[in-house]
Amino acid sequence: MELWVLFGTLVITLIIGLPLPFSMGIASVAALMVMDLGIPLVVVPQRMIAGIDNFAFMAIPFFLLVGELMNTAGITQRIINLSNALVGHIAGGLAQVNVVSSMFFGGMSGSSTADTASIGSILIPAMKKEGYDADFSVALTATSACCGPLIPPSIGMILYGVIANVSVTKLFLAGYVPGLMLGFGLLLTSYLISKKRGYPTHPRASVSQIWTAFTGSVWAAALPFLIIIGLLSGIFTVTEAACVAVVYTLFVGLVVYRELRVRDLPGIFMVATVKCGTMMSVAAAALIFAWVLTVLEVPQALATAILGVSENKYVILLLLNVFFLFIGTFMEPKASMLILLPVLLPVVPEFGIDLIHFGIIFIFNALIGLITPPVGIVLNLAAKIGGVSIDKAAIASLPFLGTMLLILMIITYVPAIILWLPGLL
């Protein structure tokens, strides 16, 4: 009965248009009122605050701020210039630039939406101008933006690390190889499509041109290395790394490139604050929702149900992938993470699945959800920038989606790909 009330209230409130944090909060309160356990409702705000009262969570607003600062500080354009010098001469030059730029950008902001908004606003119009099909440009931009949350730093990995109580630094290391695999897979896919359609290439850059592009972007490109070296050496924690990234980006924008102005800062801070407030309200509501699920013993019931299907680790992983891909079609990644992980994490170790391995699999599935309709947040954003309908963008994304699914299967069944670098640490 209580479970029906919980999910029924959640569905009804979402249908009538309430924001997700309010829907989860109201559903949790409704279920607690139906329970005959004598739990006072004052527990709800207490657990919401306690859930987000975590030092690692403080990294999120700072990394969000880095993404906003990069767009104004001239870093995005310099990343594109460097990418063009490196791969612009390959078939489908701007397509290759798009993917490589996303790999660089993702290593600084850790946000797919920030990547799509910044790089897409520059490269999608440029690709259309050079004769690329609009739907292809949109699909490639959306899928390449998925490299961001895999190549550290990653806001999704911070959330997972806090919820699963695992090392965020190890998660960062675990994401490198899958992120690079995805990047190179998209490069190959875009190369084959560009070759077939005869998309244009750029002249090969000379050594001096590559050097000029590198020296012009070296301050921007150094940020990911600064973060990971600091984490591995123990100089700072993930939260401190986020603070260092903000200070570094401010210095580069204000002093080195001088494209960021002091009068721009209030607006940038405001946008980052609103994004952070939205994310943390979802986190707080999802944590109380997950606690109610735990009280109702849903994780135990789920474990029993899964064991009833199979006890084989690889079959379980396949079923989880199918489930995550389905959930991703209609639920935003961070929301699905905050709702599902507290239910699944107690179950996963029973099947001998490493929590770091599971985390990267979950995040990869969530990223695929960013480009799969009907929600497909990143695909929708890219489609708006490119001026194409979401159905055309979705069809054009199928070859790239196939590449992502192939890589998902590889990292699922070859865990050493994920666990090799964390193992060194």
Side-chain angles (χ1 to χ4, degrees), residues 125-333:
M127 291 176 72
K128 290 167 64 178
K129 187 176 180 180
E130 287 198 6
Y132 291 81
D133 295 318
D135 55 354
F136 171 84
S137 305
V138 165
L140 178 61
T141 301
T143 49
S144 65
C146 294
C147 295
L150 286 171
I151 300 175
S154 167
I155 294 172
M157 289 181 190
I158 295 170
L159 284 173
Y160 180 86
V162 171
I163 297 169
N165 194 28
V166 297
S167 167
V168 176
T169 301
K170 286 188 175 182
L171 283 168
F172 278 8
L173 289 175
Y176 268 113
V177 176
L180 292 174
M181 287 175 63
L182 176 58
F184 286 114
L186 294 176
L187 283 172
L188 177 60
T189 306
S190 60
Y191 170 83
L192 295 173
I193 295 174
S194 299
K195 198 78 172 174
K196 181 179 179 180
R197 299 183 183 179
Y199 289 146
T201 61
H202 292 175
R204 182 184 292 271
S206 64
V207 174
S208 62
Q209 288 174 325
I210 295 175
W211 177 251
T212 300
F214 173 75
T215 54
S217 61
V218 66
W219 283 92
L223 180 56
F225 299 99
L226 174 66
I227 293 172
I228 201 65
I229 290 172
L231 289 173
L232 291 178
S233 62
I235 296 175
F236 40 68
T237 65
V238 171
T239 302
E240 291 163 349
C243 299
V244 170
V246 170
V247 175
Y248 181 87
T249 308
L250 282 170
F251 173 76
V252 171
L254 291 170
V255 179
V256 180
Y257 296 156
R258 298 184 180 180
E259 294 187 22
L260 181 65
R261 295 166 295 183
V262 174
R263 65 173 177 267
D264 297 327
L265 296 180
I268 293 171
F269 290 153
M270 179 66 71
V271 172
T273 301
V274 170
K275 288 184 177 180
C276 178
T278 302
M279 184 179 298
M280 297 307 286
S281 64
V282 172
L287 289 169
I288 186 64
F289 188 87
W291 175 74
V292 173
L293 287 174
T294 304
V295 172
L296 294 174
E297 298 185 346
V298 173
Q300 295 88 324
L302 180 64
T304 303
I306 293 175
L307 284 169
V309 176
S310 174
E311 295 185 15
N312 186 293
K313 169 183 175 179
Y314 300 104
V315 174
I316 298 301
L317 284 170
L318 178 62
L319 293 174
L320 288 174
N321 275 325
V322 173
F323 175 64
F324 294 152
L325 290 170
F326 170 71
I327 290 293
T329 61
F330 61 86
M331 188 176 289
E332 195 270 336

Side-chain angles (χ1 to χ4, degrees), residues 78-96:
R78 285 172 171 81
I79 290 172
I80 292 174
N81 293 341
L82 176 60
S83 302
N84 189 39
L86 293 174
V87 297
H89 61 279
I90 302 173
L94 272 185
Q96 310 299 320

Side-chain angles (χ1 to χ4, degrees), residues 31-43:
L32 285 173
M33 292 177 69
V34 172
M35 293 181 195
D36 189 22
L37 300 176
I39 300 176
L41 294 183
V42 71
V43 168

Side-chain angles (χ1 to χ4, degrees), residues 297-380:
E297 298 185 346
V298 173
Q300 295 88 324
L302 180 64
T304 303
I306 293 175
L307 284 169
V309 176
S310 174
E311 295 185 15
N312 186 293
K313 169 183 175 179
Y314 300 104
V315 174
I316 298 301
L317 284 170
L318 178 62
L319 293 174
L320 288 174
N321 275 325
V322 173
F323 175 64
F324 294 152
L325 290 170
F326 170 71
I327 290 293
T329 61
F330 61 86
M331 188 176 289
E332 195 270 336
K334 294 178 183 65
S336 64
M337 183 178 293
L338 291 162
I339 293 174
L340 296 176
L341 285 180
V343 179
L344 293 171
L345 286 172
V347 178
V348 168
E350 296 184 19
F351 300 101
I353 302 171
D354 185 273
L355 289 180
I356 298 290
H357 182 211
F358 177 73
I360 300 301
I361 292 173
F362 188 99
I363 291 169
F364 204 110
N365 275 285
L367 295 178
I368 293 176
L370 292 174
I371 58 170
T372 50
V375 176
I377 296 171
V378 168
L379 188 65
N380 271 287

